[in-house]
Amino acid sequence: MKNLQLTLIFLFASLLSFAGISNKEKEALIALHTSTNGEQWTKKWDLNADVSTWYGVKIESDKVVGLYLQFNNLNGTIPQEIGNLTALQSINFGLNKLSGELPNSLSNLKNLKSLELFLNNFKGNIPSFLGALNNLEVLALYSNSFTGEIPSELAKLVNLKTLQLGSNFLTGIIPSQLGQLHELETLSLIDNNLEGDIPLELTDLKNLKELILSDNKLTGNLPLQFSKLNKLGTLMVSDNNMNVEYATVVEDRASVKSAIITFNDTYVVERD
């Protein structure tokens, strides 16, 4: 009898551990599959199998916490239902064929730490509602077709470490509010149509390791204060409309500091 009781307890515990995600979350995954032409994915889902076996889906405590479907031939749009996956911490849909605008239901994903949608064909403005994702550490939207200005609301992402918006069609100025992102390590806005001076406020980014602003229409000069950023090892501001054609320094902190000089009372970087 004692052995039977132990067996039943073990079976009950096993059933609890494999209870599976809610129907609402499963329906959200199926909506994603449908809207991105899942039948043509490189690594497909067997919709008749348990969700725990679906490629790129990470589950913890019966909640979907990660979607890793990069380079998997997703073709279509992200459905609104994705906002029902409220436990999501990571999304990587990079290197696919996704298009359309980002659904506003992404603002529901308050636990999201990483949103990687690079190398797709998303369009429209970068949504200001992304600023509501307070836990976000990585925002990688580069190599898409986003237009309009960089929303100043991104400055609310106080935990952000990586902001990559390069190779889009962004216009306007670099928001000075980005200087409030004190955890930021990488800022890449390369290959857009940004104008105006590089905001002095960016020199407040004490943790910055990479500043990549090349191939825009930026003007003015580089403030001397950038030489005081002790972690800055990559500096790329060439191919703009600035007063000097700035040198490019990659992964060399000493060279960044020594390259910044005073010239005619204007702080600039040495020419190549």
Side-chain angles (χ1 to χ4, degrees), residues 96-163:
N96 281 293
K97 302 173 184 176
L98 297 171
S99 57
E101 299 186 1
L102 301 186
N104 56 24
S105 63
L106 285 175
S107 62
N108 297 338
L109 307 182
K110 304 301 186 183
N111 292 300
L112 203 62
K113 294 182 178 180
S114 180
L115 179 59
E116 298 180 87
L117 303 176
F118 56 89
L119 283 160
N120 280 284
N121 193 34
F122 292 108
K123 64 179 182 179
N125 293 341
I126 294 175
S128 60
F129 61 69
L130 293 179
L133 303 179
N134 297 327
N135 289 304
L136 207 61
E137 297 179 4
V138 175
L139 180 58
L141 304 180
Y142 61 89
S143 297
N144 278 285
S145 296
F146 288 111
T147 54
E149 299 184 354
I150 298 172
S152 60
E153 287 82 358
L154 296 185
K156 298 176 182 178
L157 302 175
V158 295
N159 294 302
L160 201 64
K161 296 181 179 180
T162 299
L163 179 59

Side-chain angles (χ1 to χ4, degrees), residues 2 22 102 111 119 127 139 165 169 198 209-210 218 271:
K2 185 176 181 180
S22 68
L102 301 186
N111 292 300
L119 283 160
L139 180 58
L165 306 179
F169 301 96
I198 296 174
K209 297 178 181 179
E210 299 182 350
L218 299 173
R271 294 175 181 269

Side-chain angles (χ1 to χ4, degrees), residues 55-268:
Y55 171 76
V57 179
K58 182 179 179 181
I59 299 174
E60 292 180 356
S61 302
D62 297 329
K63 295 288 186 179
V64 178
V65 297
L67 289 175
Y68 305 99
L69 296 172
Q70 62 269 28
F71 198 39
N72 200 43
N73 200 37
L74 278 65
N75 191 343
T77 60
I78 298 177
Q80 287 286 350
E81 288 87 344
I82 198 167
N84 294 331
L85 301 172
T86 54
L88 268 177
Q89 298 176 20
S90 298
I91 295 176
N92 190 339
F93 294 162
L95 280 160
N96 281 293
K97 302 173 184 176
L98 297 171
S99 57
E101 299 186 1
L102 301 186
N104 56 24
S105 63
L106 285 175
S107 62
N108 297 338
L109 307 182
K110 304 301 186 183
N111 292 300
L112 203 62
K113 294 182 178 180
S114 180
L115 179 59
E116 298 180 87
L117 303 176
F118 56 89
L119 283 160
N120 280 284
N121 193 34
F122 292 108
K123 64 179 182 179
N125 293 341
I126 294 175
S128 60
F129 61 69
L130 293 179
L133 303 179
N134 297 327
N135 289 304
L136 207 61
E137 297 179 4
V138 175
L139 180 58
L141 304 180
Y142 61 89
S143 297
N144 278 285
S145 296
F146 288 111
T147 54
E149 299 184 354
I150 298 172
S152 60
E153 287 82 358
L154 296 185
K156 298 176 182 178
L157 302 175
V158 295
N159 294 302
L160 201 64
K161 296 181 179 180
T162 299
L163 179 59
Q164 297 173 311
L165 306 179
S167 296
N168 281 288
F169 301 96
L170 301 176
T171 55
I173 63 172
I174 299 174
S176 61
Q177 293 91 334
L178 296 185
Q180 301 170 22
L181 300 174
H182 297 302
E183 300 300 318
L184 201 64
E185 298 177 359
T186 297
L187 176 60
S188 178
L189 308 177
I190 191 173
D191 188 25
N192 278 290
N193 295 305
L194 300 172
E195 301 176 331
D197 292 354
I198 296 174
L200 181 62
E201 288 81 357
L202 296 187
T203 65
D204 294 333
L205 302 177
K206 305 303 183 185
N207 289 301
L208 198 63
K209 297 178 181 179
E210 299 182 350
L211 179 64
I212 305 173
L213 306 177
S214 297
D215 294 298
N216 280 286
K217 299 177 181 178
L218 299 173
T219 53
N221 297 291
L222 192 72
L224 176 65
Q225 288 90 325
F226 279 106
S227 68
K228 298 180 181 180
L229 299 184
N230 294 325
K231 298 181 181 180
L232 187 61
T234 294
L235 179 65
M236 300 175 62
V237 294
S238 61
D239 297 312
N240 279 287
N241 295 331
M242 302 179 75
N243 296 341
V244 173
E245 181 59 26
Y246 292 109
T248 292
V249 179
V250 179
E251 296 183 358
D252 189 341
R253 164 63 195 143
S255 294
V256 168
K257 189 168 185 177
S258 64
I260 300 177
I261 62 172
T262 301
F263 178 75
N264 289 340
D265 297 323
T266 303
Y267 302 120
V268 299

